[in-house]
């Protein structure tokens, strides 16, 4: 009789432990996936900012002046910006000074 009782507890413990372990594994997976996605979004923002800076340098090398505005950079140097995803602040001080470029991600 004691053996059946002990087996019952083990069975009950095993039955409760398995769903808890599965839920913990799913939680860890979801957390890792969310972290990966946020890291990728930050990397995309950084790449856009770097692309804008390189376009400015290419313009300065070719024309001797930095682009006067963002539209000029997009039109003449093929820089593409996803306006739904990013907000770009582009401030040109003078033709011979690198513009101030700030890229912000728009959160839905």
């Amino acid at each position: 009789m004691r053996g059946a009782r002990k087996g019952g507890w083990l069975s009950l413990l095993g039955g409760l432990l398995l769903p808890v372990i599965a839920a913990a594994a799913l939680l860890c997976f979801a957390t890792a996936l969310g972290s990966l996605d946020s890291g990728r979004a930050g990397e995309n923002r950084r790449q856009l900012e770097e692309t804008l800076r390189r376009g400015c340098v290419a313009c300065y090398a070719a024309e001797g002046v930095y682009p006067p505005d963002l539209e000029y950079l997009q039109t003449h140097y093929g820089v593409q910006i996803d306006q739904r995803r990013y907000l770009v602040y582009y401030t040109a001080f003078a033709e011979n000074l690198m513009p101030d470029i700030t890229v912000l991600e728009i959160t839905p």
Side-chain angles (χ1 to χ4, degrees), residues 25-76:
L26 284 174
L27 181 63
C28 289
F29 180 73
T31 303
L33 191 60
S35 176
L36 179 65
D37 191 38
S38 69
R40 187 179 323 155
E43 180 66 19
N44 288 343
R45 185 199 56 78
R46 189 197 62 74
Q47 283 181 347
L48 175 59
E49 191 170 324
E50 183 65 27
T51 299
L52 291 168
R53 291 187 192 287
R54 287 181 187 206
C56 287
V57 170
C59 179
Y60 189 77
E63 301 178 23
V65 294
Y66 286 106
D69 54 27
L70 196 56
E71 288 78 27
Y72 186 87
L73 195 59
Q74 289 175 303
T75 303
H76 293 90

Side-chain angles (χ1 to χ4, degrees), residues 73-106:
L73 195 59
Q74 289 175 303
T75 303
H76 293 90
Y77 290 91
V79 176
Q80 297 178 1
I81 301 169
D82 185 357
Q83 302 287 342
R84 295 170 293 151
R85 209 167 153 199
Y86 299 105
L87 184 61
V88 178
Y89 291 102
Y90 183 93
T91 308
F93 302 108
E95 292 180 338
N96 62 341
L97 295 175
M98 178 74 160
D100 182 36
I101 300 169
T102 304
V103 178
L104 300 174
E105 187 170 4
I106 299 171

